[in-house]
Structure formats: C-alpha cells, structure tokens
Amino acid sequence: MRRDAITSGFVTSADVARLAGVSRSAVSRTFTPGASVSAEVRARVLAAADALGYRVNRLAQGLISSRSNLVGVVGARLAQPFQAMQLALLSSALMARGLQCLLLNADDADQSITPLIERMLEFRARAIVIMSGSPPTAIVEECVRNGVRVVLVYKPVEGVAADTILCDDEGGARAAADLLLASGCRSLAVVSSGGQTPSLARRIAFFRERLAGHDLSPLVWAEGPTSYETGAAAAQALVPQGVDGVFCVTDLIALGFMDRARHGLGRRIPQDLCVVGFDDIPQAGWAAYGLTTLRQDLPAVTRHVVAAIEREAPPPAEAVTVPVTLVRRGSTRAD
Amino acid sequence: MRRDAITSGFVTSADVARLAGVSRSAVSRTFTPGASVSAEVRARVLAAADALGYRVNRLAQGLISSRSNLVGVVGARLAQPFQAMQLALLSSALMARGLQCLLLNADDADQSITPLIERMLEFRARAIVIMSGSPPTAIVEECVRNGVRVVLVYKPVEGVAADTILCDDEGGARAAADLLLASGCRSLAVVSSGGQTPSLARRIAFFRERLAGHDLSPLVWAEGPTSYETGAAAAQALVPQGVDGVFCVTDLIALGFMDRARHGLGRRIPQDLCVVGFDDIPQAGWAAYGLTTLRQDLPAVTRHVVAAIEREAPPPAEAVTVPVTLVRRGSTRAD
DNA sequence: GCTGCTGATGCACGCGTGTGCAATGCTTCA
DNA sequence: TGAAGCATTGCACACGCGTGCATCAGCAGC
C-alpha cells in the first residue's frame, strides 16, 4: 500500500514524477542546478511539485553525498551579551552561506563537551565550531579524520589540524595596563573569574607582565563565574583595600565592579577609580556606564570562522589572531 | 572498490559487521534498545565498533523513520538580552530531551520567514518553534499537514492547529498602570517601538484602556526598533513635555529611557520620574538601574514549548497564557 | 523421540534521493 | 542521404540504516 499524498506524510519525488508523467530522475534533475532537462519537462515537474507541495528531503540528500550542510556550534552561557552577539553574528553568516546552524548548548555539559561533538559526528556535520569548552585532542582528531572541519574560537588545542582563532589578548592587556598607568593609577588590580579559560588566563598574565615592567604587581581576583555578580563581589573585596585602577577581563565583570564601587561603596568613577573592560558589549556603551574597554572585532572573527568552514585546503598551521581596539569612554581619566 | 575504513570517510555498520564477523542486522540491533541480541554478539559488535570508531548515521536513521530529532527555532535579534535568554533556556531544554536545536536567524529575512520554515520542512524537522516573525497561515498549515508541530511563542496566528503561547500582556499592562497611578504619577506615557508585534501592541492597548478608566490618556511613542536607543530617543522627546511616569513595553527600551532621562536630562528616578519595564532582563536588576518591571516566566514558557513538541495529541484550541510577576525596584516610588 | 516454544540470527526489502550509463530522438554537417 | 554529435530521458544502482519474516538452534514437556 503506497502512501497517500492527499492524506498525510511528505510528498516524495516519485509522487511528483507520477503526476507529471515523467521518471523520478527527471524530477531530481529539475531540482539539480546544471542538470540536463528540457524546458517542457521542467515546467511539468515544477507544476506537479507545486500542486503536491513537494519538498526535497535533505536527509536523503545528505545520505547520498554523505555530507550535510549542518554546522554544529558549541556554546555556553548563551544568555550573556558577548556570547549572544557571537552567536547572532555567526548564525546569520552561516545562513547567508546556505549552511544550517545546529546549536549545542554546553551549559549542562559538565566537564566535557565530547558527547556534543559526537552527536555532531552522527549527523555528519560539515563543520563544528567550538565557542566554549575545551575539546580533548582525541575527539578533534576523529573529526578531522572524518573530514569534519573543526574551528576553535578562543580555545587553542595543541597539535591538531584545526582552524584556531584567537583574539589579541596580549595587545589588549598591555593597552589596559598602559592606560591605567597613564591615568595615574598605582594601586592596581585585575579581576577575572574562577573558570580560567585560556583567553582569560592570558589577559591576566600579560597584564601582570606589563605591570612588572614598571615594578608593579596587581592584586588578582579569580573566583566565581564569569558574571556581573563576580565583578560586584570583587569590588566589595578589592576597593576597600585602596585599589584605584582595575582591569576586568570581561565587560560583564567590569559592569558589576563599577556598580558595586559606585552604588555600594560610594566611589566616583573615574575620579577615585578607573576601570577598563574587555569585549565591548553593548551595555559598556550605555550612558550609565561609559566603560572604557577593548573592543573585539566580532565581525572579523565571524568572517574567519566562515572562511575556515568553506576553505577546501587543510587548515593553516598557525592560529589567526584578531586585533582588539581600545575604546575610551568615561570610566578612565584622560592622560 | 569499497571504501577503506582506515584511509578516510565514515565507518558504516557494514564495516563493523565485517570485523565482528556478524551480519549487519546484528550491528543495528546492538545499538537499538530492546532488540534481541545475545550478550556475546553484542560484546563483539561493541568491540569492533569501538576499534573502528563507528558512529551511527543519523541522516540515514531519520530517513527510515521519516522524522528527525531536529527542532527548528526561528528567532531574531538574538543578541538582545531577552531573546538570548529565551534561546539559552530553550536550547538547553531541547538538548535535555535529546532533541537537536536547529537555529534559524531571521534577522536577514526581510518581510517573511516562510523560506526559513520551508528549509525546516526539507529537513523533516519534528517541530518548529517561532519566536520571531509572523508566519503566513498557509505555511503553518503545510507544516501541520505534514505532521510537523508548530509552536508559536508570543505570535498568535488565527485559525491554525498550532500551539500558541502568550504572556499575560493584559495583566502586566494593568499592573504597570496601577503602580504608576499609585505612585502619584499623572502625566503618563507609554513607550514602544515601531515594529508592532502583537504582544507589544497589546501592552499599549491594555495600558491605555486601564488609564482611560481613570480619565487619563498617555502619550504614546511607537517609533524605531525595539532597542536601548529607542528608549533614549523617546526620553529625549517625552521627558521635556513633563512626563512623570512611563511604561516601557520592554526593559531594553526602559533602560535607554532611564539613562537619557538621568544622564542627559538631569531627572531623578523615581523622585521626578517613575519608570516601569517589561521582561525582567538581567540588566534591569543591576545596581545602576533597579528597574521596576514585569517579570516574564521564561522557564514556564520553555516548559510549555517542550511539552507542545512532545505531546502526541493535537494542540489545544486555546492559547496558553503565562502569567507575569511585578518586580518592584527603585525606579518607582513606594505607595 | 517428537512437538511446541523461545531467543538469536541473517536475508532482503524499503526509506528518498543523486547519478553513471545506455538508449533514444533530434539536429547539423558533409 | 548518411553519419556524427548533442541534448534528453529512463533504468538501475548506491547511500546507511531499521525491521519483518523466515530460519535455526536449544530446551522443556509429553
């Protein structure tokens, strides 16, 4: 008993072929750009397809080519401004290229994102973009072996044939240090979270290194999640110690720091305290804050990700580093 | 020439069967819960699969069952806090149920999201969640006809067998009006954006209706995108007219309004001006704002969405309305 | 020893699509 | 007119998997 196209279920190319009075091949070719079909047959097929509401089954299509248009995107803390911006830009760019964005939320994936990557392999994804979590080398190698491109955003993995995109943590941290020093701050601190991602750790390290060149050593806060609340907690602990200049490795942390310093501890910014952030999320530019920060070039990052996915050649041996830009606002003093 | 499992490409169940010395059926049954396989064969198969790095092909799996585990999620302005929260919660909930979240960014889809839904149909998605845009009735009906569940979040479509989830715009708008009146505000305004979604339009309407019961008529602002900047622009225009109480249909708008009123126009909140928002995004609770707002129960919305996807029975005739909660903070005066 | 039953296993088919190959018909050129 | 070339079309196979059906071995009960 054949499926009844009227009653329910999806219409297949065989249904269309029957109605149009042609072979199934003709239907397939009609929807395949560059295939050889006469204008007359094409018209009949299109009419029949339209009448029946035919939609090509991409699952079957992917089965043939043994590769889908799916791109797995692994991310976490998607509700936070920076990650949300990243995802919005990336999903938009992928769609523009005809790629499907399969979103994998790593929030509940304690410890390892390996199961998420495995799921993408099962879907024969064309590529996997890692925006969060540190994938074990083994699983990345399995992806590469199977022809699934892996793009690591801010998450370097050693000795693996995957595209890696980094931002200029070094230049950013140095600029932050230089600006705070130029503002006359001498009692400095750097605020990060307990979850030390490679990028955040580098920002701390380069900031400290730069200060060490001036024989200064900042207080270091590295507890709690990467959140507004962590910034507030850090301010509560550090400001009473006389800190007059802070580099927060994330804008979100910086905003929490500013709020607690001002509204809880009565400090004036930038008169009593200078604050520098990192990322340039929209809230940093809001009038209540005016946070001086290091802007990440997210469009550039997105372009690199898409280029890595579409490139045919193997990934370059070296990571791409995207520059950051200092955006001066009211949370720091003019020189 | 058969594929060489060592060299490249994905391992198939036939490869595993060959190595384990069993039939391909045995491999399939090993990975099918509840199927009949002896412990000895299962062990051999698992060993072979592990040695070869076998991963079941979900594309082929979906082809068999003619239904995938994919859930299409249509959203726009994903970088904005509220939408980002929605997406974060939904993607997490879907993953917990073993469903895949296929993200469709509607930002570049001017006018119609129909092409996006069509793409989901081609992937034989199990369900489609519309968080943004107004799908034409015709395409929704096609989804339903093909057994693809459609869940409309805040986007009612008339006369269609789809689950619809609304929030209590009426109760929220009334609570906002009542609170502003109780605070002694008499020169009121309601601020929205130019892109009138059904939900936002209802908030305006019910707010006006409530005030009309007190013989009051608010100024209405409805221009620009639903953004922080729109709130600032509205403040610039409305505050000089003597407005002393504002209902912003979105927190993001409210924060822009507050910032301009305070830092640009020198008004004190709540002494000179009371502001009520809607949504309760994280920023509303930040110390710099303390925005009184109507909290949406996003976890409840998410639960309803997931329930609608998993339900076997046809969707209920009536929309589900999720209540909102008044969260009082410093942007309004105590009675 | 024979029958009936149960669990394990393999064969073969179908899911919906793309495509190589051969056959067919038409056009063009000598 | 005949041959060659080209565009078009259908047949048949392959993609990787799940599963109904038949087969078979093992075992209990008579």
Side-chain angles (χ1 to χ4, degrees):
Chain A
M1 184 177 63
R2 291 289 301 162
R3 83 168 52 254
D4 184 352
I6 307 292
T7 310
S8 80
F10 282 91
V11 177
T12 75
S13 62
D15 298 327
V16 177
R18 211 171 305 130
L19 178 60
V22 297
S23 77
R24 208 181 47 68
S25 307
V27 177
S28 177
R29 284 190 244 267
T30 297
F31 291 101
T32 303
S36 169
V37 205
S38 70
E40 194 249 337
V41 166
R42 153 170 275 121
R44 280 224 308 278
V45 168
L46 287 178
D50 195 54
L52 259 36
Y54 170 69
R55 307 218 173 272
V56 45
N57 187 332
R58 300 237 184 197
L59 266 41
Q61 232 177 21
L63 182 56
I64 289 287
S65 57
S66 73
R67 185 71 80 247
S68 66
N69 284 320
L70 268 36
V71 173
V73 176
V74 179
R77 300 167 187 271
L78 266 20
Q80 293 191 353
F82 183 72
Q83 286 84 337
M85 287 173 66
Q86 262 188 313
L87 180 59
L89 285 172
L90 181 56
S91 62
S92 176
L94 290 177
M95 291 204 61
R97 308 303 179 113
L99 297 169
Q100 306 304 317
C101 177
L102 207 25
L103 179 58
L104 300 176
N105 189 323
D107 280 342
D108 303 322
D110 25 33
Q111 305 308 326
S112 173
I113 60 170
T114 300
L116 307 186
I117 301 181
E118 286 175 340
R119 234 193 271 195
M120 285 304 89
L121 284 172
E122 294 174 1
F123 273 99
R124 302 301 187 257
R126 165 176 304 194
I128 299 179
V129 181
I130 311 278
M131 304 198 320
S132 171
S134 304
T137 303
I139 189 78
V140 175
E141 278 175 345
E142 180 175 352
C143 290
V144 173
R145 208 165 44 234
N146 286 321
V148 176
R149 300 202 79 94
V150 178
V151 184
L152 302 162
V153 182
Y154 303 163
K155 306 287 172 185
V157 173
E158 285 301 320
V160 142
D163 284 85
T164 306
I165 298 168
L166 302 175
C167 80
D168 185 12
D169 297 307
E170 178 170 1
R174 288 189 174 174
D178 291 347
L179 180 59
L180 289 173
L181 290 173
S183 295
C185 305
R186 283 300 173 270
S187 183
L188 298 171
V190 54
V191 177
S192 180
S193 64
Q196 291 291 0
T197 72
S199 220
L200 299 190
R202 286 159 49 106
R203 290 174 202 173
I204 297 179
F206 287 118
F207 184 76
R208 298 183 69 173
E209 181 186 306
R210 190 67 162 188
L211 292 189
H214 293 74
D215 290 327
L216 288 174
S217 176
L219 295 177
V220 178
W221 176 279
E223 287 179 30
T226 311
S227 67
Y228 173 90
E229 287 73 20
T230 289
Q236 190 73 42
L238 300 178
V239 170
Q241 296 183 41
V243 166
D244 64 357
V246 186
F247 171 42
C248 298
V249 295
T250 275
D251 278 357
L252 202 55
I253 294 175
L255 300 180
F257 196 100
M258 286 179 75
D259 270 348
R260 180 59 60 89
R262 280 206 283 221
H263 300 100
L265 302 166
R267 294 304 194 283
R268 293 169 306 163
I269 295 174
Q271 295 88 342
D272 305 330
L273 175 68
C274 292
V275 181
V276 177
F278 207 110
D279 288 346
D280 195 28
I281 61 178
Q283 289 78 10
W286 288 0
Y289 296 102
L291 175 65
T292 291
T293 190
L294 292 144
R295 172 178 298 163
Q296 299 229 37
D297 191 349
L298 245 26
V301 172
T302 304
R303 281 195 300 275
H304 278 113
V305 171
V306 173
I309 293 173
E310 293 190 328
R311 182 167 5 88
E312 294 294 337
E318 291 184 8
V320 171
T321 297
V322 176
V324 299
T325 315
L326 178 64
V327 178
R328 300 188 64 157
R329 298 201 183 94
S331 71
T332 50
R333 298 187 284 266
D335 311 299
Chain B
M1 184 176 63
R2 290 289 301 159
R3 80 167 57 255
D4 185 350
I6 307 294
T7 310
S8 79
F10 280 92
V11 177
T12 76
S13 63
D15 298 327
V16 177
R18 211 171 304 132
L19 179 60
V22 298
S23 76
R24 208 181 45 69
S25 307
V27 178
S28 176
R29 283 190 244 269
T30 297
F31 291 100
T32 304
S36 170
V37 205
S38 70
E40 194 249 338
V41 167
R42 151 169 277 121
R44 280 225 307 278
V45 168
L46 288 178
D50 195 54
L52 259 36
Y54 169 67
R55 306 217 175 272
V56 33
N57 185 333
R58 299 240 185 194
L59 266 39
Q61 231 176 22
L63 184 55
I64 292 283
S65 57
S66 73
R67 186 70 82 249
S68 66
N69 284 321
L70 268 36
V71 173
V73 176
V74 179
R77 299 165 186 273
L78 266 20
Q80 294 192 351
F82 183 72
Q83 285 85 336
M85 287 172 67
Q86 262 188 316
L87 181 59
L89 285 172
L90 181 56
S91 62
S92 176
L94 290 177
M95 292 203 61
R97 307 305 177 110
L99 298 170
Q100 306 304 318
C101 177
L102 206 25
L103 179 58
L104 300 177
N105 189 324
D107 280 342
D108 302 323
D110 25 33
Q111 305 309 328
S112 174
I113 60 170
T114 300
L116 307 185
I117 301 182
E118 285 175 340
R119 236 193 269 195
M120 284 306 88
L121 285 172
E122 294 174 1
F123 273 101
R124 301 299 186 259
R126 167 176 304 195
I128 299 180
V129 181
I130 311 279
M131 301 198 322
S132 171
S134 304
T137 303
I139 189 76
V140 175
E141 279 175 347
E142 180 176 350
C143 291
V144 172
R145 207 166 43 237
N146 286 321
V148 176
R149 298 202 79 94
V150 178
V151 184
L152 301 162
V153 182
Y154 302 164
K155 307 285 172 188
V157 173
E158 285 301 321
V160 141
D163 284 86
T164 306
I165 298 168
L166 302 175
C167 80
D168 187 12
D169 297 308
E170 178 170 359
R174 287 190 175 174
D178 291 346
L179 180 60
L180 289 174
L181 290 172
S183 295
C185 303
R186 283 299 173 269
S187 182
L188 299 171
V190 54
V191 177
S192 181
S193 64
Q196 290 292 0
T197 72
S199 221
L200 300 190
R202 286 159 49 105
R203 289 172 202 173
I204 297 178
F206 287 118
F207 184 76
R208 299 183 68 174
E209 181 186 307
R210 191 66 161 188
L211 291 189
H214 293 74
D215 290 326
L216 288 174
S217 175
L219 296 177
V220 178
W221 175 280
E223 286 178 31
T226 310
S227 67
Y228 172 91
E229 287 74 19
T230 288
Q236 189 76 41
L238 299 177
V239 170
Q241 297 184 39
V243 166
D244 64 358
V246 187
F247 172 43
C248 297
V249 295
T250 275
D251 278 358
L252 202 54
I253 293 175
L255 300 180
F257 196 100
M258 287 180 75
D259 270 348
R260 180 60 58 90
R262 280 204 283 221
H263 300 99
L265 302 165
R267 295 302 194 285
R268 294 169 305 162
I269 297 174
Q271 295 88 340
D272 306 329
L273 175 69
C274 292
V275 181
V276 177
F278 207 112
D279 290 345
D280 195 28
I281 60 177
Q283 289 77 13
W286 288 2
Y289 297 101
L291 175 64
T292 291
T293 190
L294 292 144
R295 172 179 297 163
Q296 299 228 37
D297 191 348
L298 245 26
V301 172
T302 305
R303 281 195 302 272
H304 278 114
V305 171
V306 172
I309 292 172
E310 292 190 327
R311 183 167 2 91
E312 294 294 338
E318 291 183 10
V320 171
T321 297
V322 176
V324 299
T325 314
L326 177 64
V327 179
R328 299 188 66 156
R329 299 200 183 94
S331 71
T332 50
R333 298 188 283 267
D335 310 299

